[in-house]
Amino acid sequence: MRIKDMNVEELKSFVERNNLTVEGTGKNGSIIRPDLEKAIEIAGLSENDVSESESIEEQYVVLKPFKDLKDDNYIYEKAGEDYPRNNKQADPERVKELLSKENKRKEPVIKIKDRE
């Protein structure tokens, strides 16, 4: 995956995994996409580094209850429950849909789980 093909959540996750410092230039100092891309560039990380980091299995958590139409209509009832259920393997394309607005709900319904 190329950096420009990553969504903002994927970029944030990559930046966090690599302990990069990001200075926000958005409204009220918020971090925006160009800030994340710049941090990756300053660190000297390449497309190869992004691909290698993808081998680390991400974990996800439900933001809003939803019915997973691509998992036998399984219903995720509570915010905070793990996605996917029962340690199932997450389909990368499905995860990308659910992290973004590119799904039937037109809003993200999962997010990358915070690491403790």
Side-chain angles (χ1 to χ4, degrees):
M1 177 179 287
R2 298 179 316 181
I3 292 169
K4 64 182 172 183
D5 294 333
M6 297 171 77
N7 66 37
V8 173
E9 286 300 317
E10 291 167 330
L11 285 170
K12 284 180 181 178
S13 176
F14 179 75
V15 165
E16 288 174 10
R17 280 196 308 269
N18 288 282
N19 297 316
L20 303 180
T21 302
V22 180
E23 292 189 35
T25 61
K27 190 174 184 178
N28 297 324
S30 63
I31 295 172
I32 56 177
R33 182 183 186 91
D35 301 331
L36 297 166
E37 292 172 343
K38 184 176 181 181
I40 292 168
E41 180 183 327
I42 289 171
L45 298 174
S46 69
E47 303 291 348
N48 292 337
D49 298 312
V50 173
S51 296
E52 290 170 14
S53 73
E54 289 176 337
S55 63
I56 298 170
E57 184 68 28
E58 289 288 0
Q59 295 180 325
Y60 306 94
V61 64
V62 173
L63 288 172
K64 299 178 180 193
F66 72 100
K67 182 191 296 187
D68 194 342
L69 302 175
K70 296 187 180 175
D71 183 12
D72 296 322
N73 291 326
Y74 181 81
I75 298 174
Y76 289 89
E77 296 176 344
K78 297 181 284 190
E81 60 182 297
D82 289 337
Y83 177 87
R85 63 189 168 112
N86 302 327
N87 296 319
K88 290 182 84 173
Q89 183 69 28
D91 172 50
E93 287 302 311
R94 182 63 172 156
V95 168
K96 192 173 180 179
E97 283 177 36
L98 298 174
L99 285 168
S100 72
K101 295 178 181 179
E102 301 301 318
N103 58 58
K104 286 198 178 232
R105 295 267 304 261
K106 305 291 186 213
E107 62 183 341
V109 293
I110 64 170
K111 71 173 188 164
I112 296 170
K113 191 174 197 176
D114 295 329
R115 292 201 168 99
E116 281 105 42

